[in-house]
Amino acid sequence: MAWLMTTQLLLLVWVVAWGAQTRIIRARTELLNVCMDAKHHKEKPSPEDKLHEQCSPWKKNSCCYSNTSQEAHKDISYLYGFNWNHCGEMAPACKRHFIQDTCLYECSPNLGPWIQQVNQNWRKERILDVPLCKEDCQRWWEDCQTSFTCKSNWHKGWNWTLGYNQCPVGAACHPFHFYFPTPEALCEEIWSHSYKVSNYSRGSGRCIQMWFDPAQGNPNEEVARFYAEAMSGAGLPRAWPLLLGLVPMLLRMLG
């Protein structure tokens, strides 16, 4: 019980502080139902009935086109020319997480609170510190234990001389756990901190789910609303009573 109260209090404090900081460093004002200004994204989300396989949960409201979703399932696709098998064949159980990660990145309209402006030749915006549900990260890490890689940051440092990524000179192939000793190391470091592993679980309304059943609705809509309201200040009137109510209880437990 003490752990739960402490976690709730810290979350509220963090959201308020993080929201205030983010309002200063980013210009985007629309945080809900938006698409990134990136390489393959739509300008605005809309229905996309023919999204392919693992990207299909977003077909009711998507930032990706059907052909993007098809390419997300291919090795060395036209999306980014990325070779998942740069250290031998990646295990199918591992690869499905990278496909799902790509689908979330390309298709989700619920990442607005974490979109940041960047000065890159292939995109003008990226995501940063998206609170990924801890179970999704844990399963990703577990399913990749038998696969191999040669780098911990997959955003940069590759050899692209053949048009697709190869291991740079001197980078040896090792099992994933060599470069990613913990689930957090994998999910947070592999894409330059696009994700931050949350202490919250799937279904909590406080973390982004990489996997969900569209028949039950998209749970990430609630998560985006929570953080967007905190960042805009609209959620503070509702948050402060809970915050103030937790302070005496926390002091008694710590006293």
Side-chain angles (χ1 to χ4, degrees):
M1 185 65 179
W3 177 88
L4 177 60
M5 291 295 184
T6 303
T7 301
Q8 290 175 328
L9 177 60
L10 290 176
L11 174 68
L12 286 168
V13 172
W14 176 80
V15 165
V16 172
W18 177 67
Q21 177 189 23
T22 308
R23 286 197 295 275
I24 296 173
I25 66 175
R26 68 196 294 274
R28 175 184 280 275
T29 55
E30 296 181 18
L31 301 179
L32 298 177
N33 197 38
V34 294
C35 300
M36 272 180 280
D37 186 354
K39 190 173 183 179
H40 301 290
H41 290 71
K42 297 179 181 179
E43 183 177 347
K44 296 180 179 180
S46 61
E48 198 73 29
D49 292 337
K50 297 182 180 180
L51 290 187
H52 191 60
E53 293 185 2
Q54 289 182 224
C55 295
S56 62
W58 288 275
K59 66 180 181 180
K60 290 185 178 180
N61 193 35
S62 174
C63 286
C64 67
Y65 295 101
S66 176
N67 60 340
T68 300
S69 71
Q70 293 173 0
E71 292 294 320
H73 291 72
K74 298 179 181 178
D75 295 325
I76 316 182
S77 74
Y78 84 83
L79 294 181
Y80 305 103
F82 199 90
N83 178 24
W84 305 117
N85 303 318
H86 51 268
C87 278
E89 190 74 18
M90 180 180 282
C94 178
K95 187 176 294 184
R96 64 192 292 266
H97 289 277
F98 284 98
I99 294 173
Q100 198 70 13
D101 161 54
T102 303
C103 289
L104 176 68
Y105 173 80
E106 299 289 346
C107 303
S108 177
N110 307 123
L111 301 175
W114 304 279
I115 293 177
Q116 302 285 326
Q117 294 180 345
V118 291
N119 183 20
Q120 296 176 330
N121 59 8
W122 57 283
R123 62 180 180 179
K124 295 181 179 179
E125 292 180 324
R126 63 161 294 185
I127 50 174
L128 181 68
D129 290 337
V130 173
L132 184 65
C133 293
K134 60 183 181 181
E135 297 93 341
D136 285 3
C137 180
Q138 179 72 30
R139 290 167 187 165
W140 189 355
W141 183 75
E142 290 175 354
D143 287 345
C144 289
Q145 291 301 291
T146 60
S147 294
F148 287 72
T149 186
C150 57
K151 284 171 48 57
S152 59
N153 187 325
W154 288 14
H155 257 157
K156 57 187 179 181
W158 297 100
N159 175 0
W160 291 94
T161 55
L162 296 181
Y164 58 88
N165 59 302
Q166 295 176 287
C167 294
V169 175
C173 291
H174 292 286
F176 260 55
H177 60 76
F178 178 87
Y179 289 100
F180 307 112
T182 64
E184 290 78 12
L186 170 63
C187 299
E188 296 179 2
E189 294 177 17
I190 196 164
W191 300 128
S192 303
H193 298 281
S194 292
Y195 298 117
K196 183 174 180 61
V197 180
S198 174
N199 288 325
Y200 280 84
S201 298
R202 294 167 53 83
S204 66
R206 299 295 180 265
C207 61
I208 291 293
Q209 294 184 201
M210 191 175 290
W211 306 82
F212 62 90
D213 180 2
Q216 305 298 320
N218 185 340
N220 295 330
E221 294 177 358
E222 177 187 351
V223 180
R225 280 196 300 270
F226 172 79
Y227 287 96
E229 288 180 357
M231 292 170 64
S232 67
L236 295 184
R238 286 183 291 175
W240 280 119
L242 177 57
L243 180 61
L244 294 174
L246 286 172
V247 171
M249 290 184 285
L250 180 59
L251 292 175
R252 285 197 298 270
M253 287 184 290
L254 295 177

